Amino acid sequence: GQSLEQPSEVTAVEGAIVQINCTYQTSGFYGLSWYQQHDGGAPTFLSYNGLDGLEETGRFSSFLSRSDSYGYLLLQELQMKDSASYFCAVYNFNKFYFGSGTKLNVKP
Amino acid sequence: EADIYQTPRYLVIGTGKKITLECSQTMGHDKMYWYQQDPGMELHLIHYSYGVNSTEKGDLSSESTVSRIRTEHFPLTLESARPSHTSQYLCASQRRGTNEKLFFGSGTQLSVL
């Protein structure tokens, strides 16, 4: 089966840096994706790691280590609008599997 | 970029009613998915399709059914709605040959009284 573990909730202050971790167990693996979802909204794609290492997209970066079955999403210069849930996901057996999500609370 | 549409956005109905949630995409994507999500919870895959005339059940048991008669259209039907069906339903599509990205619709928030 597929299993993706994330912390349930993280709190940080505006302007800070926060890291959201994701550990996974999967019988096959193509890469790790990250999605952002605001309350009542739909998930939107943020980042993808097909290979080990760091991918940077503006204030957001994502990292993958296949040997550790581990990845993280790094958010820099936090803004209030970054308050949302963040999901990691893997693609396997022709389907996407999502983690349980991490709720990020950004405080002023 | 995300040309995938769901209607209605919100729906409140009584128990026992038959409903169809609509999902359409204009990107020509072959693969489409339906996810069910309760507030603050993970996304559960309930149905997916590889293309026209292809439908598969997901990992979460669901009393709903789907059809895929046209590439762009992937409606979900509940024959007899119950309060336990109250949830958000998210439709998504995937570009052929890719495995990193899903495009999501805005979702349908269903409340069954």
Side-chain angles (χ1 to χ4, degrees), chain B residues 47-112:
Chain B
H47 296 284
Y48 61 103
S49 167
Y50 293 112
V52 172
N53 295 325
S54 156
T55 61
E56 303 286 342
K57 288 189 178 296
D59 300 315
L60 180 68
S61 176
S62 174
E63 294 162 341
S64 58
T65 59
V66 292
S67 63
R68 192 85 183 277
I69 299 173
R70 304 196 313 269
T71 297
E72 61 271 23
H73 195 214
F74 191 39
L76 181 146
T77 298
L78 275 168
E79 290 293 334
S80 179
R82 295 207 297 267
S84 60
H85 295 139
T86 294
S87 189
Q88 175 166 239
Y89 293 83
L90 291 160
C91 180
S93 70
Q94 176 188 358
R95 184 181 297 137
R96 182 188 300 177
T98 66
N99 54 34
E100 74 272 14
K101 185 175 180 178
L102 279 177
F103 296 85
F104 282 89
S106 298
T108 293
Q109 181 60 53
L110 174 65
S111 296
V112 183

Side-chain angles (χ1 to χ4, degrees), chain A residues 4 20 85 94 108:
Chain A
L4 296 96
I20 298 173
S85 292
N94 293 315

Side-chain angles (χ1 to χ4, degrees), chain A residues 33 35 37 40 42 48 91, chain B residues 9 31 37 59 99-100 102 105:
Chain A
S33 302
Y35 291 80
Q37 185 181 31
Y48 172 75
Y91 183 72
Chain B
R9 182 72 178 90
K31 288 188 178 177
Q37 185 185 33
D59 300 315
N99 54 34
E100 74 272 14
L102 279 177

